[in-house]
Amino acid sequence: GVKDGRWTVLQLVEALGFCLENTDPRMRGRGIQLLSQVLLQCYSLLQEKEVLHLVLFYESRLQDNHLVIPSVLQGLRALSMCEVLSPGLAVSVLKAIFQEVHVQSLLQLDRHTVYSIITNFMSTREEELKGLGANFTFGFIQVMDGEKDPRNLLVAFQIVHDLIAKDYALGPFVEELFEVTSCYFPVDFTPPPNDPHGIQREDLILSLRAVLASTTQFAEFLLPLLIEKLDSELQSAKLDSLQTLTACCAIYGQKELQEFLPSLWSSLRREVFQTASEKIETECLAALRALSACLSRSVLSSDSEDLLDSFLSSILQDCRHHLCEPDMKLVWPSAKLLQAAAGASLRTYHRITHSVLPLLLEQYTKHTQSSQRRTILEMLLGFLELQQKWGHVEEDESPLLLHQAPVCSVVFSALLDPSVQLQLVGIKALTVLGSLQGFLSSSNLELVVDHLIRLALHEEDSQSSEAAMEAAGSLAPTYPKVFSGHMVPRLEEELQSEREESYHKRQSLQQRCLQALAAVSTHTSIVKETVPILLQHLQKVQKETEAKNTQDVISVCQSLHRVALQCQQDAEGCWYFHQTVVPCLLAMAVQAAMPESTHTLPGKALLEEEVLAAMIPVISAATTHLSPELAAQSVSRVVPLFLDGDVSFLPQNNFPCSFQPFGDGEHLEAQRRLIALLMAFVCSLPRDVAIPQQEWLLRELLALSCSSNCPFTATTAAKCFAGLVNKHPAGQQLDEILQLAVNRMEPSLAEGPRRTQALTLLLWVTKALVLRYHPLSSCLTDKLLGLLGDTELGPATADGFSLLMAESPDVLHKGCHADVRIMFRQRFFTDNVPKLVQGFHGAGPDVKANYLKGLSHVLNHLPKPVLVTELPTLLSLLLEALSCSDRVVQLSTLSCLHPLLLEAPQIMSLHVDTLVTKFLNLTSSPTMAVRIAALRCAHALTSLPTTVLLPYKGRVIRALAKPLDDKKRLVRKEAVAARGEWFLLGSPGR
């Protein structure tokens, strides 16, 4: 009635008069409860006069019997949300609560109501409450004092934070407010199991920390508390104290810290020197960095004593001498402390490095052992990396610039050292020095390039070689002229040189030259020099008739692929690479596929599957990041090349006969293999790029995929068809082409010599449609499920389920703009696993393995959380799959069960007897991969409840003794790990 406007609240009060004035407190409580419930729903409808009368009524009832108080507080909570509350009423209500109610004697919910009233008034009546002065703070301290419930504490901590942040008067009650909150520090709370409120210990820690670190007025009380907790034995208390100290440094100044700095430094130093906990060490270093930063800020705005200088002097005094002992335990803790302080500000960096840098350089020269030099250089590297933080090297102040020559000398000497580990640190240091603008002189830069070339090409250890190439790649964008003027010509010279060396040595050098040319191609100007060199080398290798040159061609393609990936984020470089490399690769491939040049097909490296497979990612990476306009320009040339034989855009296009990859005749088989390159291009185009003559192209691909006798050609045509279908806009044209494909596949699948080609096409088209949730995908999947029962195609179909679920490397993935819906695997699982299970139960003994293999492939690619939820219904089938003789089924099932043993131990423990037997049997499998997987599962069994496993302990330990003598080292390694874990089962502390 009140909601509808038929009654006013005051009329309701009159109607409840008998209850509200009843002598029985329970009856009065029920009357007020009803009134409060109405107010909670109708407070927004109240008039100002009504609110005034109600507030006066409820305030008077705060003196009533304790049974009535909870309902009174609910009513006041409703009134605290009224916008028409008269000025002064909020203060009146809070005064009444502070005076009349002993809050901590109430139940949790009623205490929460009081906090809600205060929160509501603080958000809407701030100025009125501030008029109370420090009395409001004192009243709240009384309300909160002794609170224990975490739900209430979260609200109370927020109120305290708001008191401080919104500048309420704390008056003489600062220490009391600190005491009433700091008594919970450090937070010791473990949420009960199945806690419906979801409050975590971390929530309370962060909420309390926000309070403690919100004002400098707490500093004199908080810092001694933090030092006390830091000196305790409790790890969690140490961590909390360190994180709170770091938070406080954001607002503290020199005045707050001065008295406590020696004690704080002593505690931090002790923890870093003595702790075994990486977490505590990390937090100590963060706290030291925060303290140094805090003192650095204070210096900028203070004329008083320079505390920062004396603080850094203490750190240097306690740590510097340890750096002279590179073999001793305290060398790294000392270096970390110095680096933490140096990382706080430019001033701390200069002060610390001014003292430490000469010492490290002196120590490097003094010690001759590679291991000691490595330790010293790693420390030096830490300080060099800090300089990166501050950008340019300041000429007048930087200690690094003062020691430029010895620093370079030390780094260069490390690069010449025979120790690989020292070389690697030297390469890192070189990269950092190169990133400091203005540090390396032009002569030093040339020396850098010389060292990088020597390491990249001639260093025996591959680690140093690869690190040098990476360093060249990271420095090249900073010094493009130096690298293009000095490194690229040297690499080209090495690549083309004809030295009298063994074949393998020559091959190794060429391989490294190719890798280095690719690695240094990280700037467009360099790319424009390296790409022609790589293409020229590819043409040279292609003309050689040796059968060995296949690997050479693949190496060049791998280098080109790396360059393509490095160009993708730069529009100019990406387009240059695309329009230079793609036509050149196509021209070379077309030339190799011409009839009169294919009589030496085995020697035609560019037509071999491995080489075409290496060219695919080059073309794909060169295409995926093109803008739609440039992609459209390119597609208008490439598609007519394959459909019409238009070679006009290819370099050196004087071919002896026409290019007709979709033509008929055995003599064109070599040309058909180049459909792989068409696939790499068209399937990598952005989705909004129109493909000319697309319907004709799709029909040709469809025909080729079903008719080619070459498995490679048929498969690439099917993949190309599927890639285009996946991106094709929905509509009649797509429906027609799909119907054409189905009509083409069905008769070929039923019988004839090309059943395998038809199955390949069916798998790829199904995958294309499954990814985009096309309605026809379920129909095609049903055809595949039916083929599992086919004795000839069944095994290949089962393997095809892996293709459907796995990420495809060259087509139908997000990187090439395919239409891939999220959770397509879960949807496929839901729709088809019941059919697989049903098919398995109804299948004959000769094809049951096909259903198990298909199922294991689906489960293997399913996200583990989904698999765990479905585990109870599928586990019996998975266990049956372990008995299958097919090693692929065994391996897939074991790799599926391994994570489930770790993530769903309770469910798995119900089948422990079967699991133990199956796993132990498979440790004797003739296939090494199966033996390893079975031993890993036997190891993972130890994550099941100990009481379940103990009866099997002796049996498993005896059975695992046999694989300890396995002829394969990897099997023995797994056996040792598994058996050791079973030996420890049930031990104290496990």
Side-chain angles (χ1 to χ4, degrees):
V2 174
K3 272 188 178 178
D4 298 341
R6 290 182 284 114
W7 290 76
T8 66
V9 171
L10 294 180
Q11 285 175 312
L12 175 63
V13 173
E14 287 173 13
L16 284 169
F18 170 74
C19 292
L20 300 178
E21 295 172 358
N22 199 291
T23 54
D24 182 359
R26 286 181 179 78
M27 182 60 77
R28 289 201 305 280
R30 289 177 65 190
I32 294 172
Q33 183 183 12
L34 175 60
L35 178 59
S36 296
Q37 286 172 344
V38 171
L39 291 178
L40 282 168
Q41 293 195 44
C42 305
Y43 64 86
S44 60
L45 306 174
L46 297 177
Q47 303 297 315
E48 186 175 348
K49 193 175 178 184
E50 293 176 316
V51 173
L52 173 63
H53 288 300
L54 286 165
V55 166
L56 295 173
F57 166 72
Y58 273 104
E59 277 183 14
S60 67
R61 293 297 176 159
L62 284 173
Q63 300 172 5
D64 206 332
N65 189 285
H66 68 94
L67 294 172
V68 177
I69 299 301
S71 299
V72 175
L73 292 172
Q74 287 294 348
L76 287 172
R77 181 166 76 89
L79 295 171
S80 71
M81 294 186 278
C82 290
E83 292 180 12
V84 293
L85 198 71
S86 302
L89 286 182
V91 169
S92 173
V93 167
L94 289 179
K95 276 184 175 177
I97 290 174
F98 293 159
Q99 191 172 335
E100 304 296 343
V101 183
H102 184 244
V103 175
Q104 288 306 316
S105 66
L106 301 173
L107 295 175
Q108 178 271 326
L109 181 61
D110 303 324
R111 301 199 304 276
H112 194 278
T113 304
V114 174
Y115 296 126
S116 298
I117 294 168
I118 296 171
T119 302
N120 292 339
F121 283 148
M122 285 180 75
S123 61
T124 59
R125 298 287 187 271
E126 184 178 329
E127 291 308 316
E128 286 182 43
L129 299 193
K130 283 181 176 176
L132 274 171
N135 290 332
F136 175 56
T137 303
F138 180 67
F140 175 72
I141 290 170
Q142 287 181 307
V143 166
M144 183 185 172
D145 193 10
E147 181 60 67
K148 290 184 175 63
D149 192 279
R151 292 164 287 182
N152 291 348
L153 283 173
L154 281 179
V155 187
F157 289 156
Q158 185 59 51
I159 292 171
V160 179
H161 183 268
D162 289 345
L163 278 173
I164 296 164
K166 293 179 179 177
D167 208 22
Y168 282 78
L170 305 185
F173 304 115
V174 173
E175 187 172 0
E176 284 80 357
L177 188 62
F178 173 76
E179 291 295 338
V180 87
T181 50
S182 66
C183 64
Y184 302 101
F185 183 87
V187 171
D188 181 22
F189 167 67
T190 304
N194 306 318
D195 178 21
H197 308 291
I199 294 174
Q200 298 298 316
R201 180 169 172 268
E202 193 65 19
D203 300 327
L204 290 165
I205 287 174
L206 294 175
S207 190
L208 176 56
R209 186 176 302 148
V211 171
L212 297 177
S214 62
T215 176
T216 55
Q217 295 180 73
F218 284 168
E220 62 179 301
F221 315 114
L222 178 59
L223 290 171
L225 176 64
L226 295 180
I227 292 167
E228 178 195 329
K229 298 301 178 186
L230 259 177
D231 296 345
S232 74
E233 295 300 315
L234 202 61
Q235 295 276 69
S236 59
K238 288 178 191 278
L239 276 174
D240 207 349
S241 300
L242 289 164
Q243 289 165 348
T244 304
L245 175 60
T246 303
C248 289
C249 286
I251 63 160
Y252 284 6
Q254 191 164 298
K255 185 178 80 171
E256 287 77 28
L257 292 171
Q258 184 166 7
E259 182 187 342
F260 305 100
L261 277 176
S263 300
L264 285 168
W265 164 237
S266 173
S267 296
L268 292 173
R269 182 191 63 213
R270 184 194 65 244
E271 289 303 322
V272 174
F273 279 178
Q274 296 178 6
T275 186
S277 164
E278 200 174 315
K279 271 187 181 178
I280 287 181
E281 182 188 89
T282 302
E283 294 300 337
C284 278
L285 297 175
L288 180 59
R289 194 177 300 110
L291 277 171
S292 304
C294 177
L295 294 174
S296 299
R297 286 195 306 274
S298 301
V299 167
L300 298 176
S301 57
S302 170
D303 299 323
S304 55
E305 179 196 350
D306 187 354
L307 268 186
L308 176 66
D309 197 60
S310 57
F311 184 60
L312 295 179
S313 295
S314 301
I315 297 172
L316 284 164
Q317 183 182 339
D318 291 342
C319 297
R320 190 176 181 273
H321 62 280
H322 291 302
L323 303 185
C324 302
E325 306 157 352
D327 292 329
M328 303 301 282
K329 180 184 168 188
L330 293 180
V331 65
W332 269 116
S334 299
K336 287 176 181 176
L337 285 164
L338 288 165
Q339 286 166 4
S345 68
L346 189 57
R347 185 167 176 224
T348 60
Y349 177 75
H350 283 157
R351 176 76 173 81
I352 297 281
T353 50
H354 188 77
S355 172
V356 169
L357 206 58
L359 177 69
L360 290 175
L361 293 169
E362 178 195 323
Q363 290 300 312
Y364 186 90
T365 312
K366 182 178 169 185
H367 292 87
T368 54
Q369 285 184 22
S370 294
S371 59
Q372 295 173 328
R373 286 189 156 194
R374 178 189 163 196
T375 301
I376 295 163
L377 188 56
E378 281 178 333
M379 290 189 283
L380 181 62
L381 175 61
F383 288 102
L384 294 179
E385 285 171 338
L386 289 173
Q387 176 70 64
Q388 283 180 305
K389 202 172 163 183
W390 313 115
H392 289 273
V393 182
E394 302 282 340
E395 287 194 29
D396 52 343
E397 289 185 58
S398 173
L400 196 55
L401 212 62
L402 293 173
H403 300 89
Q404 181 182 23
V407 167
C408 288
S409 172
V410 161
V411 172
F412 290 150
S413 80
L415 300 178
L416 292 165
D417 196 275
S419 163
V420 173
Q421 296 306 315
L422 182 53
Q423 283 178 14
L424 291 173
V425 182
I427 291 167
K428 280 185 193 171
L430 191 67
T431 310
V432 174
L433 289 180
S435 69
L436 302 174
Q437 286 281 1
F439 183 80
L440 294 174
S441 63
S442 56
S443 58
N444 275 336
L445 278 169
E446 289 180 23
L447 200 52
V448 166
V449 171
D450 289 342
H451 278 297
L452 291 177
I453 292 172
R454 177 184 57 77
L455 289 166
L457 300 187
H458 305 295
E459 177 56 48
E460 283 184 26
D461 189 89
S462 61
Q463 274 183 289
S464 293
S465 174
E466 287 166 16
M469 292 181 201
E470 291 296 329
S474 63
L475 291 176
T478 312
Y479 310 101
K481 288 183 180 175
V482 176
F483 279 87
S484 61
H486 291 83
M487 189 166 191
V488 175
R490 291 267 300 278
L491 292 173
E492 182 181 14
E493 185 185 325
E494 289 282 2
L495 188 64
Q496 294 173 351
S497 68
E498 300 289 346
R499 289 186 190 152
E500 294 290 329
E501 290 175 321
S502 69
Y503 174 78
H504 288 296
K505 196 169 182 182
R506 178 82 205 111
Q507 286 296 100
S508 173
L509 183 61
Q510 281 200 354
Q511 180 90 356
R512 285 196 176 183
C513 281
L514 293 170
Q515 290 170 346
L517 282 166
V520 79
S521 303
T522 49
H523 188 273
T524 303
S525 65
I526 300 174
V527 170
K528 289 178 179 178
E529 293 185 27
T530 55
V531 164
I533 297 170
L534 291 169
L535 291 175
Q536 185 184 347
H537 186 68
L538 182 60
Q539 288 166 335
K540 176 190 168 191
V541 171
Q542 184 210 3
K543 288 170 186 169
E544 294 171 2
T545 54
E546 299 172 22
K548 296 173 184 172
N549 69 350
T550 301
Q551 188 51 50
D552 296 343
V553 176
I554 291 172
S555 297
V556 182
C557 290
Q558 287 169 342
S559 290
L560 285 169
H561 181 229
R562 178 170 180 174
V563 178
L565 293 174
Q566 288 166 183
C567 288
Q568 284 180 339
Q569 303 310 318
D570 175 61
E572 183 193 348
C574 186
W575 179 234
Y576 167 79
F577 185 91
H578 182 89
Q579 64 177 353
T580 308
V581 173
V582 173
C584 185
L585 291 182
L586 289 172
M588 291 164 67
V590 170
Q591 180 67 57
M594 285 298 145
E596 81 274 10
S597 60
T598 54
H599 61 279
T600 55
L601 184 57
K604 278 294 170 187
L606 287 184
L607 296 177
E608 292 185 23
E609 279 182 36
E610 310 92 78
V611 175
L612 288 170
M615 291 169 77
I616 287 169
V618 179
I619 295 174
S620 180
T623 307
T624 52
H625 284 64
L626 288 181
S627 67
E629 298 77 28
L630 295 174
Q633 187 179 325
S634 192
V635 77
S636 66
R637 297 169 179 168
V638 176
V639 172
L641 167 68
F642 283 86
L643 287 178
D644 307 321
D646 180 0
V647 296
S648 58
F649 81 103
L650 298 180
Q652 303 162 1
N653 55 17
N654 185 21
F655 302 115
C657 58
S658 60
F659 180 58
Q660 298 173 296
F662 291 113
D664 295 327
E666 286 294 320
H667 67 289
L668 296 174
E669 187 52 54
Q671 294 188 9
R672 292 190 197 109
R673 296 169 77 81
L674 303 192
I675 296 300
L677 305 184
L678 172 68
M679 175 197 77
F681 176 76
V682 293
C683 292
S684 302
L685 291 166
R687 245 185 281 178
D688 52 356
V689 174
I691 296 171
Q693 310 173 79
Q694 184 169 7
E695 306 312 313
W696 178 20
L697 178 60
L698 283 166
R699 288 169 190 272
E700 293 285 9
L701 289 167
L702 179 59
L704 185 59
S705 67
C706 292
S707 62
S708 176
N709 292 319
C710 169
F712 177 76
T713 301
T715 302
T716 49
K719 287 163 77 172
C720 190
F721 179 83
L724 292 174
V725 160
N726 173 265
K727 295 183 194 176
H728 199 296
Q732 187 181 350
Q733 283 185 325
L734 178 61
D735 295 342
E736 286 175 4
I737 201 73
L738 287 174
Q739 190 55 53
L740 191 67
V742 171
N743 295 344
R744 193 77 184 250
M745 286 186 286
E746 282 183 337
S748 300
L749 283 169
E751 57 184 0
R754 295 200 171 86
R755 296 188 75 199
T756 304
Q757 288 95 317
L759 174 61
T760 301
L761 178 62
L762 175 60
L763 284 166
W764 281 104
V765 174
T766 304
K767 182 178 178 73
L769 300 183
V770 163
L771 292 178
R772 63 180 281 178
Y773 290 176
H774 192 279
L776 186 62
S777 62
S778 57
C779 172
L780 298 184
T781 308
D782 288 343
K783 288 186 190 298
L784 289 171
L785 290 167
L787 287 170
L788 288 172
D790 187 294
T791 50
E792 182 189 347
L793 293 180
T797 306
D799 285 332
F801 277 85
S802 175
L803 184 152
L804 294 179
M805 300 294 283
E807 185 87 2
S808 173
D810 43 13
V811 293
L812 296 177
H813 60 87
K814 285 186 177 178
C816 64
H817 311 290
D819 186 354
V820 181
R821 305 298 174 87
I822 59 169
M823 297 174 70
F824 78 89
R825 291 183 178 89
Q826 288 90 317
R827 180 168 175 168
F828 187 88
F829 170 87
T830 307
D831 291 347
N832 297 295
V833 164
K835 298 175 186 176
L836 275 167
V837 174
Q838 187 182 351
F840 168 79
H841 290 304
D846 54 336
V847 293
K848 270 186 181 290
N850 298 337
Y851 289 91
L852 286 175
K853 191 190 288 189
L855 177 66
S856 63
H857 282 314
V858 173
L859 298 181
N860 247 321
H861 291 94
L862 201 65
K864 292 299 174 278
V866 180
L867 190 51
V868 168
T869 59
E870 300 292 339
L871 187 57
T873 57
L874 294 170
L875 192 52
S876 58
L877 206 56
L878 286 171
L879 295 175
E880 196 166 338
L882 289 177
S883 304
C884 178
S885 58
D886 188 312
R887 65 185 178 83
V888 176
V889 175
Q890 292 173 348
L891 201 54
S892 295
T893 309
L894 287 168
S895 60
C896 189
L897 287 170
H898 182 266
L900 296 175
L901 289 164
L902 304 173
E903 293 172 30
Q906 297 302 328
I907 301 170
M908 300 299 276
S909 61
L910 301 174
H911 301 268
V912 65
D913 191 66
T914 312
L915 289 167
V916 168
T917 304
K918 303 274 189 190
F919 293 158
L920 294 181
N921 287 344
L922 289 172
T923 58
S924 305
S925 165
T927 307
M928 182 182 84
V930 173
R931 297 200 300 277
I932 289 173
L935 286 165
R936 284 178 180 160
C937 286
H939 188 170
L941 274 173
T942 57
S943 63
L944 270 54
T946 304
T947 50
V948 174
L949 296 175
L950 281 174
Y952 302 93
K953 182 175 177 179
R955 175 185 163 192
V956 172
I957 290 171
R958 286 192 298 275
L960 292 180
K962 185 184 174 186
L964 291 176
D965 295 325
D966 197 281
K967 58 186 178 182
K968 295 292 184 182
R969 183 184 63 83
L970 292 175
V971 177
R972 296 196 299 273
K973 181 183 171 188
E974 293 296 339
V976 168
R979 197 162 185 258
E981 207 59 42
W982 275 89
F983 261 118
L984 293 170
L985 196 72
S987 305
R990 296 293 291 179

